[in-house]
Amino acid sequence: VRDPITGQNQELPETTEITIPKLQIGISKLVDFNFDYTLLMAANLNVRFEENNDIISTSFASINPALGFEFGYIDMVYLRAGMGNFQNELQIDNSEQLSFQPSFGVGFKYNGIQIDYAFTDIGDQSVALYSNVFSLKVDLSIFR
């Protein structure tokens, strides 16, 4: 038994952290339409080797699927939509309800610079809060 920190209602933190391995398996398909338009479809399975409230859960592993679509125009403008974080949430009456996080995003790519925006948990489908994600990618080879 560890002694509490003097004057506080706390215990000393653990000194060892154990990270459980994860496995992510995915597949995608890119379809070109008349050279200007593309559709990228993707699906993946996030596997954690523990039992939790993922949509598929056993004592050996839990599996959480994710699906996404990206519509591209002239390899410059992208619209994205997806669903993930499928969970069996325990309700107040001890029943379970399936929740998930829908998301959408837009992206722009020009001369090696890519700007992306994503908005998650549309419609407040899960207990997670809304999230706005911005990202910037720069291909440094354009400066050669």
Side-chain angles (χ1 to χ4, degrees):
V1 175
R2 292 177 286 172
D3 294 328
I5 297 173
T6 305
Q8 297 182 17
N9 189 16
Q10 298 180 21
E11 292 184 358
L12 292 172
E14 292 287 333
T15 58
T16 304
E17 180 178 330
I18 298 173
T19 303
I20 298 172
K22 293 189 274 185
L23 173 66
Q24 188 170 5
I25 303 169
I27 187 169
S28 67
K29 172 70 174 165
L30 179 65
V31 180
D32 286 317
F33 299 102
N34 296 334
F35 302 105
D36 287 343
Y37 303 97
T38 59
L39 177 64
L40 177 65
M41 301 167 284
N44 69 336
L45 297 175
N46 301 309
V47 181
R48 290 184 281 186
F49 296 99
E50 63 180 347
E51 186 172 8
N52 58 30
N53 63 337
D54 285 343
I55 191 169
I56 301 167
S57 185
T58 69
S59 60
F60 175 71
S62 296
I63 301 172
N64 194 335
L67 304 168
F69 301 91
E70 176 187 82
F71 177 75
Y73 176 66
I74 62 172
D75 200 25
M76 183 186 293
V77 179
Y78 301 92
L79 296 174
R80 301 179 181 105
M83 290 187 298
N85 199 24
F86 291 89
Q87 302 286 310
N88 289 315
E89 290 182 357
L90 187 61
Q91 304 299 303
I92 197 161
D93 63 356
N94 282 336
S95 66
E96 288 187 350
Q97 181 177 345
L98 179 64
S99 71
F100 61 94
Q101 282 186 324
S103 61
F104 82 90
V106 293
F108 302 96
K109 183 167 61 171
Y110 184 72
N111 283 345
I113 297 174
Q114 184 173 337
I115 299 171
D116 292 302
Y117 166 74
F119 181 58
T120 65
D121 199 19
I122 303 163
D124 198 25
Q125 288 293 312
S126 75
V127 294
L129 298 175
Y130 299 111
S131 180
N132 294 281
V133 180
F134 294 90
S135 63
L136 173 67
K137 294 181 189 176
V138 178
D139 181 359
L140 298 177
S141 69
I142 65 171
F143 298 111
R144 290 184 194 179

